[in-house]
Amino acid sequence: MLDILRRGAQGWVAKFLLIMLVASFGVWGISGSILNAGGTAVITVGDTEVSPNEFRLAYDRQVSAVGRQIGQRLTTEQARAFGIENQVYSQLIAGALLDEQAREMNLGLSDERLAALIADDTAFHDFNGRFDRNNFRRVLNSVGMSEEDYLKSRGQVAVRTQIVEAVSDGFAAPDALIKALAQYDAETRDVNYLLLTKSTIDPVAAPGDNELAAWFEENKARYAAPEYRKITYVKLQNQDIADPAAISLETVRADYEARKDRYTTPETRTIDQLVFADRAAADAAAAELAGGKRFDELITDQGRTANDVRIGSFAKTTVPDQSLAEAIFAVSEAGGTTPVVDGQFGPVILRVSDITPESSKSFEEMEREIREQLALAEAAQVLLDVHDAYEDARASGMTLAEAAAQQKLTPVTIDAIDRSGQTPEGTVVRDIPESQALLRDAFDTEIGVETPPINIGAEGFVWFEVNDVIPARDRTLDEVRDRVVADWTAMKTAEALGAKAEELKQRLEKGAELATIAVELSAAVETKYALSRGDADAVFGEAAVASAFSGPNGLVEVANDASGENRILLKVTSVNDASTVTAGSVSQEQRTRVSQQMADDILDQLVARLQADYGVSINRELAERALAF
């Protein structure tokens, strides 16, 4: 429900306030010496200032947060594309405005209240759930934060919270709004439509050389070659140094004999079971079997089927009722039955329907696998020794290739690869160990610089070095002609299809029938019944669903389909306005969500009003210098 309001609540103020109130440790890792450094302010609101170092640290935190979300460390260019600098400005301005308002209102926090807040923080509790001062100091030391800076930060958050809670706590959306939104959300529509594909229009003629060249010049950035790097890496894992041939035949055979049971599959038997009410009934059935009656006839006499009595296939040690195991495995051949046996659920007679004999893999069959396993185990014991020997070789002046050869490791060279793992031919290199970390570090490293190894899980390493850097450049038209022609053709096709769709829309609006147009196009009119605003329709997609709800009954619209390649010409034929829906049908969870979103909107308005009242001064030149160090 209420997707529009949900999206509206994604503003920077709501996000900032949520972070500010929940994440009281958002400044961890900032030492006192850093926070207290700096001179002229990057942001000034009245008497409240944000220093260059505070700006830089907030920027670094935001870069790290976004990097964790996408799984890679952001470059400066990527951070700029994400708009991180503007996000940081918005967050710090909102915080400074609240701080200035708190100063004007003479808000503060008593030492007793601050002490209580700190004591309640579970990060500082001992095993008994009580505040521990030694733990308090230990935690702050571990993140490089002084007690003074922590107390200042925690107090600042608490004072801001007073303003936020005074404005937004306890707000409840009125029933009239809840009802209107519920009806808006529950409305459904019937829609007739035509799916217009590129077959609807004439094929686009091939572009002339001059036209293509001009279009390429306008869009040259789309075809630019990224920066590529030539990289050589060496991987060290157990399998890289394992030597199965070095394991003696005697060692392999001894291991086989010691674990022979692992290579043996025990005999299994498929069992059918008939349970009887009492011993007399079971004995009578056993007598009938002895007189020639078949087990299947006994099953029928009990009104059951073969599936009803089949309990499965088991080895002797895995029979569910072990009191039956001896009798089952005493049957000499498949199809044989047991005498009456007292089981967990009463007297039973069992049939062994099938027997799978015990089987064992010979030494010859297992020799290779055992040899490889022993070699891997032996390699695990010396892996760290190989690691240290490689590092020592590099420290003595050996090249990567020489150090690798000394340890019998194989260097791998990739002549050209970009940040995303693609070669200039567009092939994705998928077998790079720890590719994400390796490529990230490789593009932050200079040519020939020796770097620390990257861990491969808990038991492996990969070393790399950058051999060459191929700078980013603009490609020529001849290099990418096929791509350019394909893109130009797709663009022109989309334009022509869009123009055709608009022409047909105008005909519909002037009174033409959708069925008539369908006949002209050799297409069929299709219908979506009870389409709702929240539908994730596989044909319409979000754009066409939104278009279908953009006007009254009889609405005619054109929209992209879910693929984005085709157009949908639609006409709304029926509207269910959900007028019978009441506010009572909305769950408390949904009410709470709407109320919170409205409260966030109020906070947005508060910050906007404070900005108008106090004004905000930004020194962007100083901010740029702060980001440069």
Side-chain angles (χ1 to χ4, degrees), residues 288-304:
E288 289 181 296
L289 283 174
K293 193 169 187 175
R294 293 184 299 111
F295 192 84
D296 288 330
E297 292 178 293
L298 290 180
I299 295 173
T300 304
D301 289 346
Q302 287 196 3
R304 309 181 73 185

Side-chain angles (χ1 to χ4, degrees), residues 3-4 7 181-192 528-537 540-559 568 570-578:
D3 287 333
I4 292 177
R7 287 192 291 268
L181 291 172
Q183 290 179 348
Y184 175 87
D185 193 58
E187 178 185 320
T188 62
R189 297 185 169 206
D190 295 341
V191 180
N192 289 343
K528 292 287 183 184
Y529 294 103
L531 187 69
S532 66
R533 282 186 169 87
D535 279 353
D537 190 86
F540 272 35
E542 289 186 10
V545 170
S547 293
F549 282 87
S550 63
N553 190 18
L555 170 74
V556 174
E557 270 295 346
V558 168
I568 291 176
L570 63 86
K571 183 173 183 178
V572 177
T573 59
S574 176
V575 174
N576 169 23
D577 61 9

Side-chain angles (χ1 to χ4, degrees), residues 80-192:
R80 186 174 295 114
F82 276 107
I84 286 179
E85 188 172 337
N86 289 334
Q87 294 171 24
V88 172
Y89 275 123
S90 297
Q91 292 172 3
L92 293 178
I93 288 170
L97 288 166
L98 291 175
D99 290 343
E100 181 65 11
Q101 178 67 15
R103 190 189 66 79
E104 287 285 337
M105 296 173 67
N106 201 29
L107 295 180
L109 196 70
S110 68
D111 291 343
E112 292 78 10
R113 177 57 181 156
L114 180 57
L117 289 173
I118 296 171
D120 288 340
D121 196 318
T122 57
F124 305 132
H125 287 179
D126 59 19
F127 291 112
N128 296 316
R130 294 175 298 189
F131 176 79
D132 185 306
R133 179 152 188 87
N134 290 330
N135 198 33
F136 172 72
R137 290 172 175 167
R138 186 163 50 250
V139 171
L140 292 186
N141 286 338
S142 70
V143 296
M145 193 175 196
S146 70
E147 291 186 28
E148 180 183 355
D149 286 332
Y150 172 72
L151 293 174
K152 177 182 177 182
S153 171
R154 191 67 184 86
Q156 185 181 52
V157 169
V159 171
R160 291 178 183 178
T161 302
Q162 295 179 42
I163 299 176
V164 171
E165 289 180 346
V167 171
S168 62
D169 263 22
F171 180 85
D175 277 354
L177 175 63
I178 292 292
K179 176 182 176 181
L181 291 172
Q183 290 179 348
Y184 175 87
D185 193 58
E187 178 185 320
T188 62
R189 297 185 169 206
D190 295 341
V191 180
N192 289 343

Side-chain angles (χ1 to χ4, degrees), residues 44-58:
T44 304
V45 177
D47 291 338
T48 300
E49 296 183 342
V50 177
S51 73
N53 288 288
E54 289 174 303
F55 178 82
R56 173 58 188 262
L57 291 164

Side-chain angles (χ1 to χ4, degrees), residues 295-610:
F295 192 84
D296 288 330
E297 292 178 293
L298 290 180
I299 295 173
T300 304
D301 289 346
Q302 287 196 3
R304 309 181 73 185
T305 67
N307 287 336
D308 295 333
V309 300
R310 176 64 52 85
I311 62 173
S313 297
F314 305 96
K316 188 172 183 178
T317 58
T318 61
V319 174
D321 184 351
Q322 279 294 297
S323 63
L324 308 177
E326 287 295 337
I328 292 169
F329 278 81
V331 175
S332 60
E333 59 184 17
T337 59
T338 69
V340 177
V341 184
D342 290 322
Q344 292 179 346
F345 303 103
V348 300
I349 298 176
L350 304 114
R351 177 174 65 181
V352 177
S353 297
D354 189 35
I355 299 175
T356 303
E358 176 182 286
S359 62
S360 296
K361 291 186 177 179
S362 66
F363 173 75
E364 288 71 24
E365 290 177 291
M366 296 304 304
E367 179 185 0
R368 179 176 178 181
E369 181 179 327
I370 294 172
R371 189 181 293 278
E372 290 175 351
Q373 290 173 350
L374 292 175
L376 285 172
E378 191 172 279
Q381 300 298 317
V382 301
L383 185 135
L384 291 180
D385 293 335
V386 176
H387 166 277
D388 294 345
Y390 175 91
E391 291 281 9
D392 290 344
R394 290 287 277 156
S396 70
M398 285 189 182
T399 65
L400 180 146
E402 290 170 343
Q406 186 185 71
Q407 302 305 316
K408 298 181 180 179
L409 299 173
T410 304
V412 176
T413 298
I414 304 172
D415 289 328
I417 191 168
D418 68 11
R419 290 178 184 272
S420 67
Q422 291 191 31
T423 66
E425 295 75 31
T427 302
V428 177
V429 183
R430 301 189 182 278
D431 57 354
I432 302 174
E434 296 298 316
S435 60
Q436 191 174 71
L438 193 153
L439 291 174
R440 178 194 66 207
D441 291 352
F443 277 82
D444 288 339
T445 302
E446 300 301 324
I447 295 174
V449 173
E450 184 178 350
T451 59
I454 297 169
N455 291 334
I456 304 176
E459 299 178 347
F461 307 92
V462 57
W463 294 269
F464 76 90
E465 68 179 14
V466 177
N467 308 122
D468 193 15
V469 176
I470 302 95
R473 65 178 181 84
D474 287 333
R475 291 188 174 105
T476 66
L477 176 57
D478 287 341
E479 288 180 276
V480 290
R481 178 175 291 275
D482 290 345
R483 279 180 56 196
V484 175
V485 170
D487 291 347
W488 181 91
T489 302
M491 178 199 68
K492 291 298 183 181
T493 299
E495 289 177 355
L497 186 59
K500 181 68 173 180
E502 286 297 327
E503 173 198 330
L504 297 176
K505 175 187 173 184
Q506 291 177 16
R507 287 180 57 190
L508 272 183
E509 290 175 334
K510 292 177 181 179
E513 294 294 329
L514 197 60
T516 302
I517 294 175
V519 171
E520 295 173 3
L521 299 176
S522 299
V525 176
E526 299 185 67
T527 303
K528 292 287 183 184
Y529 294 103
L531 187 69
S532 66
R533 282 186 169 87
D535 279 353
D537 190 86
V539 177
F540 272 35
E542 289 186 10
V545 170
S547 293
F549 282 87
S550 63
N553 190 18
L555 170 74
V556 174
E557 270 295 346
V558 168
N560 289 337
D561 74 342
S563 72
E565 297 180 357
N566 306 310
R567 299 291 184 272
I568 291 176
L569 176 64
L570 63 86
K571 183 173 183 178
V572 177
T573 59
S574 176
V575 174
N576 169 23
D577 61 9
S579 57
T580 59
V581 174
T582 65
S585 65
V586 179
S587 70
Q588 185 57 48
E589 181 183 358
Q590 290 173 317
R591 285 174 174 271
T592 300
R593 189 181 302 119
V594 174
S595 297
Q596 183 59 57
Q597 289 160 354
M598 295 184 70
D600 289 344
D601 187 57
I602 292 172
L603 291 173
D604 282 334
Q605 295 179 46
L606 168 65
V607 172
R609 175 58 186 267
L610 292 177

